[in-house]
C-alpha cells in the first residue's frame, strides 16, 4: 500500500513493532526540551513511548545528530597500531522528523555522500552507514511556528525531500502515512497489519491541511539571495545587523545543516587513544585561527557573515542548493535575537 | 510607549547631542515578539529605536571588553578610546564594576544610563504559563502581562513569570550610574540563599548526581560563556589545545569539567546576573551552582563583587581572617554545609 491510515490508538503499537527490528527515535521531552530520544527498540526504556511528544512544534536539536553525532570515534590506536571503529550499521528509524529536517538530510547527503573531485573519491563511511541503515518518517507541520520560513528556501511544511514516509496528523487524530521511497514502502508493507486504507475524505483532509499550513508560513525575502549576498560581501549591512553577536555557537549547533567538525585525539598517556570527530562552529575564533596567529575572520560579524554566506551563496555553488532549511531554530535560540531572516532580507538594501 | 522608554530616549539623545558619547548600546524591540534585544546606536536620531520593557534581559556590559580590548602593545600617539553609553540594570551595573576592577574597561569612558529594575520576564516561564503554546506577543499592563499564545489571549501575573534571578535579586538598583532613569525597582530578595540551602542539604553523592544530570544536557555551544560579561579570556581554557584540557563533543564528563572550571573562574567575580542561564539553549540550571559559589565567597571572604572598584577581589589578596577550613578540614565543611 502506498498510503495507509494508522488509527489514533495504535501509534504506540506501531512504534513498538518497529522497535523489534530497529532503534526508534522520536521527539521526547528531556529536561526542559523536546529532543530526539529512543522510544522503542535498542537503547529505549521499556516505557519509552510514554515520553513521546509529537505535538511539539519542533525539536530543540535537529535530527542531524542521529546521523552525524556530536562526538564520534573514528578509530582507536595504540602506539603505531590503528584499530578501526566498526562502522555503525544498526537499523534506525527516525520518527516524527519535521520536513525541514528531512530536507536537511538531502544536503548532508551531498556533504558526506559519494562525490568525485578530480580523481579523488570523497565519502564518509560513518555518515553513510547510518543513513543507509536509517529510515526517516517525517511528520508534516499542521501548525508552522512564527519563526518558520521553509517555503522561502525551497521547502514546504509537508515536503517529502529526504524522507521515506510522510505522516500527516488528520483531524480525527489518525496518521495518514504515505510511502515516498522504496525503503518507506517496505516499512509500511512490513507493518501492513496495523493499517487500514485511507478514505477519499481523509486524502482530501490532507490536501486541505497541507495548503493551510503552506499559507501559514510567513514568507521571507530570500529570492536572489545568492546574487544579493555576493554583491553585499563588504556591505555595512553586516555591521548593522550582526554587531550584537556574542560569538557563541548555539545557532550552528541547533542548525540541521551546519556540519563543520573538528578532529582531535584523546589519549590516555600510555600510547593509547581515540581519534574523535566532534561538531565545531564557524562562530568560534579558533575555527579559522592559523598557526601563525593570523586569523582571516577575527571579528564576530565576519564569522556571522560566513555562516550566512555559506548557506545562501557558497553551497548553491558547491552543492547546488541553499543550505538553510528555514526551520527557524537559530532565530529562536539566539541569546541576542540575531535573526537570519532579517539579514537575508536586508542583503542588498541600504543599511 | 511607557514613561521609562520615553525618558531613556530623551536622555540618550541628549548624551549624543552633548557629544558625551560616540555610541550607545541599549535595547530595541526584537524580531520575535515579545523579545527585546541589544541595539547599537551611533546618532541621536537612533534613540527612537530604544525601548524598555520586561524583556530587556540582556546584560549589555558583555560588549565592553571587546570594545576596549587592546590589540597590541601601546605605540605612542593612539586615537582616544571610544566613549560608550550603556543602558544598565542593577546586575549589569555590577558587571561593569567587576570589569573596571579587572582593568578590562576604563570606567571613565563609559556613560551609564541606569534603570532601577522591576525584574525581567522569563520566556520559559511565560511559555509554561500558557501551556507550551507558541507565544506570539505579550504586552505589559500594570502587574500583569497580556499574552497572545496561539489563538488565545491570556493574562498572567508578572510576578509569576519573572526570572528566578530577578525574584531573588538583592540589588535591583544600579549604584553609581551617571544618569539614573526614574523607575520603580522591585523589593530586594534573598539572593538565591534558599536555592543554595536546599541544594547544600543534599548528600554529597546526590549533589554530584544532580550536577551530572543537569550537565548531561549541555551541547558545549558556549552560549553561557559568551553571554557572561566576566568571561572575557582571549583564549578560553576550553579551546586551549596545548595542553588540551577538555575532550571534544558532548561527552558528559567533559561538559561537567567545563562548567566546574568556568564557574570556579567566576569566584568573587560573578555578579549573579544569570546571563548564562538565559543564554543556554538547553535550559540548563547553572544558577544553583553559580549561587553556591557566590555564597561561599560571601561567607568565607566577606566579599560581594560589583560595588567598589578599589576593593581588592578575594582571590587577589590574603587576610589573616580568611576562611581556610575548606583546606585544613574539608570534612568539617562537608558536615556543616
Amino acid at each position: 500500500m502506498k498510503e495507509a491510515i494508522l488509527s489514533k490508538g495504535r501509534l504506540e503499537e506501531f512504534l513498538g513493532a518497529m522497535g523489534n527490528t530497529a532503534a526508534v527515535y522520536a521527539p521526547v521531552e528531556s529536561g526542559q526540551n523536546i529532543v530526539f530520544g529512543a522510544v522503542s527498540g535498542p537503547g529505549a526504556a521499556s516505557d519509552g513511548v510514554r515520553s513521546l511528544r509529537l505535538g511539539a512544534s519542533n525539536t530543540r536539536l535537529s535530527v542531524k545528530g542521529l546521523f552525524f553525532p556530536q562526538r564520534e570515534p573514528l578509530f582507536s590506536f595504540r602506539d603505531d597500531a590503528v584499530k578501526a571503529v566498526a562502522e555503525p550499521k544498526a537499523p534506525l528509524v527516525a520518527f516524527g522528523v519535521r520536513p525541514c529536517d528531512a530536507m536537511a538530510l538531502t544536503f548532508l547527503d551531498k556533504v558526506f555522500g559519494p562525490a568525485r573531485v578530480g580523481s579523488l573519491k570523497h565519502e564518509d563511511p560513518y555518515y553513510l552507514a547510518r543513513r543507509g541503515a536509517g529510515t526517516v518518517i517525517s511528520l508534516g507541520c499542521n501548525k508552522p511556528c512564527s519563526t518558520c520560513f521553509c517555503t522561502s528556501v525551497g521547502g514546504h511544511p509537508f515536503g517529502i525531500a529526504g524522507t521515506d514516509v510522510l505522516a500527516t496528523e488528520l483531524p480525527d487524530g489518525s496518521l495518514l502515512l504515505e510511502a515516498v521511497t522504496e525503503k518507506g514502502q517496505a516499512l509500511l508493507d512490513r507493518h501492513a497489519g496495523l493499517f487500514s486504507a485511507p478514505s477519499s475524505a481523509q486524502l482530501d483532509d490532507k490536501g486541505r491541511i497541507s495548503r493551510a499550513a503552506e499559507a501559514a508560513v510567513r514568507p521571507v525575502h530570500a529570492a536572489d539571495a545568492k546574487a544579493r549576498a555576493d554583491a553585499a560581501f563588504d556591505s555595512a549591512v553586516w555591521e548593522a545587523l550582526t554587531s550584537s553577536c556574542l560569538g557563541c555557537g548555539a545557532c550552528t549547533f541547533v542548525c540541521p545543516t551546519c556540519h563543520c567538525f573538528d578532529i582531535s585525539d584523546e589519549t590516555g598517556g600510555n600510547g593509547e587513544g581515540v581519534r574523535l570527530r566532534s561538531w565545531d562552529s564557524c562562530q568560534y575564533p579558533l575555527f579559522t585561527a592559523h598557526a601563525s596567529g593570523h586569523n582571516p575572520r577575527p571579528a564576530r560579524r565576519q564569522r556571522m557573515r560566513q555562516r550566512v554566506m555559506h548557506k545562501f551563496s557558497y553551497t548553491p555553488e558547491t552543492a547546488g542548493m541553499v543550505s538553510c532549511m528555514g526551520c527557524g531554530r537559530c532565530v529562536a535560540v539566539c541569546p541576542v535575537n540575531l535573526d537570519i531572516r532579517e539579514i537575508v532580507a536586508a542583503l542588498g538594501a541600504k543599511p | 510607549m511607557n514613561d521609562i522608554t520615553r525618558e531613556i530616549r530623551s536622555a540618550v539623545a541628549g548624551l549624543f547631542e552633548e557629544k558625551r558619547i560616540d555610541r550607545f548600546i541599549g535595547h530595541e524591540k526584537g524580531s520575535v515578539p515579545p523579545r527585546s534585544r541589544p541595539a547599537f546606536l551611533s546618532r541621536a536620531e537612533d534613540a527612537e529605536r530604544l525601548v524598555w520593557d520586561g524583556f530587556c534581559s540582556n546584560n549589555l556590559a558583555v560588549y565592553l571588553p571587546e570594545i576596549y580590548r587592546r590589540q597590541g602593545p601601546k605605540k605612542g600617539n593612539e586615537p582616544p578610546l571610544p566613549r560608550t553609553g550603556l543602558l544598565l540594570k542593577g546586575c549589569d551595573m555590577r558587571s561593569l564594576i567587576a570589569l573596571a576592577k579587572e582593568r578590562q574597561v576604563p570606567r571613565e569612558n563609559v556613560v551609564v544610563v541606569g534603570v532601577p529594575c522591576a525584574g525581567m520576564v522569563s520566556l520559559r516561564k511565560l511559555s509554561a504559563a500558557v501551556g507550551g503554546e507558541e507565544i506570539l506577543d505579550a504586552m505589559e499592563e500594570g502587574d500583569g502581562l497580556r499574552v497572545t499564545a496561539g489563538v488565545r489571549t491570556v493574562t498572567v501575573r508578572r510576578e509569576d513569570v519573572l526570572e528566578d534571578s530577578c525574584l531573588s535579586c538583592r540589588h535591583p538598583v544600579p549604584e553609581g550610574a551617571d544618569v539614573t532613569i526614574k523607575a520603580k525597582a522591585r523589593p530586594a530578595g534573598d539572593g538565591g540563599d534558599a536555592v543554595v540551602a536546599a541544594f547544600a542539604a543534599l548528600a554529597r553523592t546526590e549533589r554530584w548526581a544532580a550536577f551530572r544530570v543537569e550537565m548531561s544536557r549541555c551541547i558545549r555551544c558556549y552560549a553561557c560563556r559568551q553571554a557572561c560579561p566576566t568571561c572575557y579570556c582571549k583564549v578560553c581554557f576550553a579551546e586551549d589545545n596545548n595542553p588540551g584540557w577538555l575532550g571534544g563533543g558532548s561527552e558528559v564528563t567533559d561538559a561537567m569539567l567545563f562548567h566546574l572550571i568556568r564557574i570556579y573562574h567566576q569566584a568573587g567575580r560573578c555578579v549573579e546576573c544569570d546571563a548564562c542561564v538565559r543564554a543556554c539553549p538547553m535550559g540548563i540550571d547553572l544558577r544553583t551552582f553559580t549561587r553556591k559559589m557566590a555564597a561561599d565567597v560571601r561567607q568565607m571572604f566577606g566579599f560581594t563583587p560589583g560595588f567598589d572598584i578599589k576593593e581588592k577581589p578575594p582571590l587577589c589578596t590574603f587576610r589573616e581572617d580568611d576562611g581556610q577550613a575548606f583546606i585544613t578540614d574539608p570534612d568539617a565543611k562537608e558536615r556543616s554545609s
Side-chain angles (χ1 to χ4, degrees):
Chain A
M1 59 180 79
K2 194 171 178 311
E3 289 141 353
I5 289 288
L6 178 69
S7 62
K8 192 177 181 184
R10 304 195 81 170
L11 177 59
E12 290 192 10
E13 207 181 330
F14 180 43
L15 293 170
M18 289 193 290
N20 291 330
T21 53
V24 183
Y25 287 81
V28 297
E29 193 166 345
S30 164
Q32 297 190 34
N33 309 291
I34 310 290
V35 292
F36 279 95
V39 293
S40 159
S46 56
D47 61 345
V49 286
R50 293 283 145 76
S51 50
L52 187 71
R53 292 288 179 276
L54 268 196
S57 50
N58 206 350
T59 48
R60 178 51 44 117
L61 301 175
S62 86
V63 79
K64 80 177 171 191
L66 291 182
F67 302 99
F68 169 47
Q70 184 163 7
R71 177 184 192 277
E72 179 161 50
L74 300 176
F75 57 80
S76 62
F77 53 85
R78 173 163 201 141
D79 298 324
D80 291 335
V82 170
K83 195 171 154 216
V85 168
E87 282 167 22
K89 287 194 182 113
L92 179 155
V93 172
F95 182 85
V97 176
R98 293 298 182 184
C100 49
D101 274 14
M103 185 164 76
L105 294 175
T106 66
F107 171 72
L108 294 180
D109 288 348
K110 295 184 184 201
V111 173
F112 293 114
R116 274 187 181 283
V117 177
S119 62
L120 288 174
K121 191 174 157 217
H122 289 278
E123 62 178 27
D124 187 285
Y126 306 90
Y127 174 87
L128 292 178
R130 283 202 177 79
R131 272 292 271 157
T135 307
V136 176
I137 304 180
S138 56
L139 176 65
C141 302
N142 294 21
K143 276 200 296 183
C145 298
S146 67
T147 44
C148 290
F149 58 105
C150 59
T151 53
S152 300
V153 286
H156 189 282
F158 285 79
I160 56 168
T163 194
D164 296 302
V165 175
L166 172 67
T168 303
E169 193 183 356
L170 298 177
D172 61 10
S174 63
L175 287 181
L176 170 68
L177 303 174
E178 297 169 89
V180 175
T181 62
E182 280 176 25
K183 197 193 261 182
Q185 186 66 61
L187 184 137
L188 291 190
D189 291 343
R190 219 163 29 245
H191 302 284
L194 292 170
F195 310 131
S196 57
S199 67
S200 61
Q202 283 173 315
L203 292 175
D204 289 348
D205 278 342
K206 189 228 152 169
R208 213 182 51 245
I209 292 170
S210 169
R211 285 189 297 277
E214 181 183 346
V217 178
R218 301 177 186 189
V220 169
H221 175 42
D224 331 317
K226 177 168 168 46
R228 289 187 288 120
D230 289 347
F233 191 80
D234 294 315
S235 160
V237 162
W238 298 107
E239 167 116 39
L241 290 180
T242 63
S243 288
S244 63
C245 179
L246 295 174
C248 76
C251 51
T252 63
F253 283 14
V254 299
C255 176
T257 63
C258 275
H259 55 271
C260 288
F261 55 79
D262 194 10
I263 291 183
S264 58
D265 287 354
E266 282 187 6
T267 54
N270 54 355
E272 275 186 318
V274 185
R275 182 150 300 176
L276 284 174
R277 167 163 76 183
S278 48
W279 291 358
D280 202 349
S281 170
C282 55
Q283 302 307 300
Y284 299 152
L286 209 61
F287 186 79
T288 44
H290 295 180
S292 67
H294 171 67
N295 192 338
R297 293 184 212 131
R300 289 170 190 168
R301 65 173 179 280
Q302 293 164 334
R303 301 197 284 269
M304 183 50 70
R305 176 177 66 187
Q306 163 64 21
R307 181 172 137 76
V308 178
M309 293 294 285
H310 193 196
K311 294 190 184 311
F312 286 91
S313 170
Y314 308 151
T315 66
E317 258 172 55
T318 57
M321 66 190 285
V322 167
S323 53
C324 170
M325 301 295 129
C327 73
R329 284 189 182 88
C330 57
V331 178
V333 303
C334 178
V336 292
N337 187 201
L338 219 140
D339 192 327
I340 197 167
R341 298 174 300 177
E342 291 180 310
I343 297 173
V344 171
L347 291 173
K350 276 205 164 27
Chain B
M1 193 194 348
N2 61 48
D3 290 344
I4 302 177
T5 297
R6 195 171 294 122
E7 199 183 331
I8 290 171
R9 288 180 182 179
S10 115
V12 171
L15 291 175
F16 276 115
E17 280 152 12
E18 292 161 24
K19 302 203 187 307
R20 288 174 66 191
I21 52 173
D22 304 306
R23 76 176 98 192
F24 189 84
I25 310 175
H27 306 271
E28 65 181 0
K29 259 347 258 178
S31 69
V32 183
R35 293 185 66 175
S36 294
R37 63 181 177 190
F40 288 63
L41 319 181
S42 52
R43 304 169 306 177
E45 306 90 271
D46 293 343
E48 291 305 302
R49 279 163 55 196
L50 295 171
V51 296
W52 177 260
D53 57 26
F55 301 94
C56 298
S57 59
N58 287 111
N59 182 341
L60 303 177
V62 71
Y63 295 110
L64 293 174
E66 193 75 13
I67 293 172
Y68 293 104
R69 176 164 286 158
R70 196 163 266 295
Q71 295 305 330
K74 198 165 185 170
K75 298 180 207 123
N77 280 341
E78 289 183 353
L81 291 170
R83 295 159 307 156
T84 309
L86 207 58
L87 192 82
L88 300 179
K89 306 181 287 291
C91 49
D92 312 338
M93 181 72 204
R94 297 202 305 283
S95 288
L96 169 63
I97 300 298
L99 288 168
K101 184 197 292 293
E102 295 174 10
R103 304 199 184 170
Q104 298 304 309
V105 178
R107 175 68 184 86
E108 62 279 11
N109 281 60
V110 179
V111 177
V112 176
V113 177
V115 186
C117 181
M120 292 292 134
V121 175
S122 156
L123 292 169
R124 280 191 186 260
K125 281 192 187 176
L126 199 59
S127 170
V130 295
E133 193 82 40
E134 190 186 19
I135 293 168
L136 300 176
D137 207 354
M139 293 284 288
E140 291 181 299
E141 288 176 357
D143 294 336
L145 283 160
R146 271 175 66 77
V147 188
T148 312
V151 291
R152 299 184 302 145
T153 301
V154 286
T155 303
V156 297
R157 279 180 54 212
R158 206 171 177 280
E159 198 70 8
D160 292 340
V161 292
L162 287 186
E163 291 281 1
D164 285 338
S165 55
C166 303
L167 289 172
S168 64
C169 177
R170 242 188 277 257
H171 314 285
V173 179
E175 286 181 26
D178 301 295
V179 180
T180 301
I181 302 296
K182 192 162 163 291
K184 194 167 179 298
R186 53 174 296 105
D190 77 343
D193 286 350
V195 175
V196 172
F199 189 74
L202 299 173
R204 179 157 38 182
T205 50
E206 290 174 315
R207 295 202 300 263
W208 187 243
F211 181 64
R212 188 185 181 92
V213 165
E214 208 55 41
M215 297 312 155
S216 68
R217 300 211 301 278
C218 176
I219 57 171
R220 298 272 299 279
C221 70
Y222 301 139
C224 49
R225 179 188 74 189
Q226 297 304 113
C228 174
T230 36
C231 258
Y232 54 74
C233 288
K234 207 166 173 188
V235 178
C236 175
F237 75 95
E239 276 151 358
D240 224 341
N241 55 10
N242 191 16
W245 302 102
L246 291 178
S250 52
E251 183 72 15
V252 65
T253 50
D254 288 322
M256 289 164 83
L257 188 59
F258 167 69
H259 288 287
L260 274 177
I261 298 180
R262 194 191 84 82
I263 290 169
Y264 273 97
H265 274 183
Q266 294 293 334
R269 310 172 58 232
C270 172
V271 301
E272 306 172 57
C273 70
D274 265 15
C276 54
V277 179
R278 289 188 301 272
C280 178
M282 305 308 286
I284 295 172
D285 170 26
L286 296 163
R287 195 166 176 265
T288 302
F289 312 108
T290 53
R291 288 298 183 282
K292 170 74 175 112
M293 193 209 38
D296 281 354
V297 171
R298 216 160 36 237
Q299 282 154 19
M300 291 184 210
F301 305 106
F303 182 81
T304 304
F307 288 102
D308 182 353
I309 292 184
K310 299 241 159 56
E311 189 183 8
K312 278 199 171 155
L315 296 190
C316 295
T317 185
F318 175 78
R319 290 196 316 234
E320 280 188 25
D321 61 347
D322 278 347
Q324 43 195 313
F326 67 97
I327 304 171
T328 56
D329 191 3
D331 290 335
K333 180 176 178 314
E334 170 63 20
R335 280 194 302 275
S336 68
S337 61

